[in-house]
Amino acid sequence: MANILVLNGPNLNLLGTRQPEVYGSTTLAMVEDACKRHGAEIGLTISCAQSNHEGALIDLIHDARGTQDGIVFNAGAYTHTSIALMDAIASVELPVVEVHLSNIHAREPFRHSSYIAKVAIGQISGFGADSYRLALDALATHIRGGRPE
Ligand code: CA2
């Protein structure tokens, strides 16, 4: 079983409680639960974490080295601003799939660029809570070198 960290950044703890027209009505606890259940189905052991603080996210990424085989990461608004998170991902040399609930490319121009994308193996954006499941599938395939389970 591969170990995967599902990591969420700022404000995503509010998921399902505000702006459902943009981010849906699924709560973060529901997303994390769905990730754990889907992970078990495809041979992944899922750990989940969320922080509103850039430094704490960097620590979680550093800690993933040696314990995790990959990261599914929704960096929230830090996606568009954080060179520090980009450097943290590059430093741990783990495969990262960038995830967004909304389609960041169809939104305001300031959301079109991503520092995370520069160091991620790929990006999944715009499928609501399903983005996480798609990201887990992509990461599992990548870790297995493209081979089925
Ligand atoms: O679409 C995504 O997943 C985003 O990463 C969400 C971020 C946004 O800044 C990115 O551009 C795209 C915002 C997360 C805010 O989450 C909330 C959830 C519920 C209510 C309010 C905010």
Side-chain angles (χ1 to χ4, degrees):
M1 287 272 241
N3 297 315
I4 301 300
L5 175 64
V6 175
L7 183 59
N8 281 286
N11 297 308
L12 287 157
N13 55 312
L14 300 177
L15 214 54
T17 66
R18 300 193 192 123
Q19 291 181 262
E21 68 287 358
V22 185
Y23 298 116
S25 54
T26 308
T27 65
L28 182 60
M30 289 159 75
V31 168
E32 291 178 343
D33 193 52
C35 285
K36 285 178 184 167
R37 280 187 280 111
H38 185 64
E41 283 168 15
I42 62 170
L44 304 176
T45 301
I46 308 293
S47 305
C48 299
Q50 186 274 332
S51 177
N52 293 321
H53 305 279
E54 191 175 23
L57 291 165
I58 291 168
D59 288 342
L60 286 160
I61 292 166
H62 290 175
D63 292 347
R65 183 174 200 160
T67 62
Q68 304 292 329
D69 299 298
I71 305 175
V72 166
F73 190 21
N74 186 345
Y78 286 143
T79 301
H80 319 296
T81 63
S82 182
I83 296 169
L85 283 172
M86 177 184 75
D87 286 347
I89 292 167
S91 75
V92 294
E93 296 176 331
L94 286 172
V96 172
V97 176
E98 175 182 359
V99 162
H100 299 285
L101 296 145
S102 61
N103 179 357
I104 59 172
H105 303 287
R107 298 185 64 191
E108 303 95 322
F110 64 82
R111 294 189 205 274
H112 295 180
S113 71
S114 166
Y115 283 106
I116 308 303
K118 297 177 191 304
V119 288
I121 59 168
Q123 181 192 74
I124 295 177
S125 177
F127 298 96
D130 268 356
S131 290
Y132 290 82
R133 180 178 52 80
L134 296 167
L136 288 173
D137 286 342
L139 196 47
T141 303
H142 176 87
I143 287 169
R144 292 182 188 120
R147 291 180 298 279
E149 200 183 341

